[in-house]
Amino acid sequence: MLLTELLTPDRVRVPITASDRTGVLQELVRFLVERSGGDYHEALRAVEEREQVLSTGIGFGVAIPHGRTPAIPELSMVAGITSKPVPFDAVDGEPVRLFFLIVGPEAAAGQHVKVLSRIARLVRREPLRQRLMEAATPADFYHALADAEAH
């Protein structure tokens, strides 16, 4: 599965306006629910519960918050960048600017894991991270990701 099958330009927020961890999670979950349907509070609770287990800040200025809940009808994803780095308790201690949020039902657990893995693999590439963080529009972000998936 390609990320660009789940993440279209209308699912990218440039910039994310929140300036702290809680605000970013709330903003992204609301953004996802507006596009995918489902229950905002249940989706937020699933993401926050997962975040309490271990931060989803994977390092290099990237976080992949995620959760599983029947409140979202099918596996859904949104992404975005903040204009300023946000403290996120990432594994490397660095703040985060690049976010990918994934939420879906338990039935999509296999797809969920594949999407997480694909994001983590792609964002290890410094040129791609740089291009995503410099995206001025959702379309720029999407095209950077599409180009990376094509190679």
Side-chain angles (χ1 to χ4, degrees), residues 41-72:
H41 296 288
E42 288 297 317
L44 182 61
R45 182 166 56 233
V47 170
E48 287 177 334
E49 282 175 2
R50 170 58 188 84
E51 210 57 49
Q52 286 172 1
V53 172
L54 182 68
S55 173
T56 56
I58 64 168
F60 306 105
V62 179
I64 314 173
H66 56 278
R68 294 185 188 149
T69 175
I72 301 296

Side-chain angles (χ1 to χ4, degrees), residues 113-129:
V113 170
K114 286 178 184 166
V115 170
L116 278 169
S117 172
R118 187 149 181 84
I119 293 167
R121 246 191 338 271
L122 284 172
V123 298
R124 277 192 213 129
R125 302 181 200 162
E126 202 280 329
L128 173 61
R129 282 196 317 274

Side-chain angles (χ1 to χ4, degrees), residues 17 19 22 40 55 61 64 75 88 107 127 144:
T17 57
S19 58
T22 301
Y40 166 77
S55 173
I64 314 173
L75 188 65
F88 210 80

Side-chain angles (χ1 to χ4, degrees), residues 93-137:
E94 294 298 315
V96 173
R97 285 197 55 221
L98 180 57
F99 293 88
F100 293 87
L101 172 72
I102 307 161
V103 185
E106 197 62 50
Q111 266 188 315
H112 187 121
V113 170
K114 286 178 184 166
V115 170
L116 278 169
S117 172
R118 187 149 181 84
I119 293 167
R121 246 191 338 271
L122 284 172
V123 298
R124 277 192 213 129
R125 302 181 200 162
E126 202 280 329
L128 173 61
R129 282 196 317 274
Q130 197 62 41
R131 202 170 154 202
L132 291 171
M133 287 188 207
E134 290 172 355
T137 68

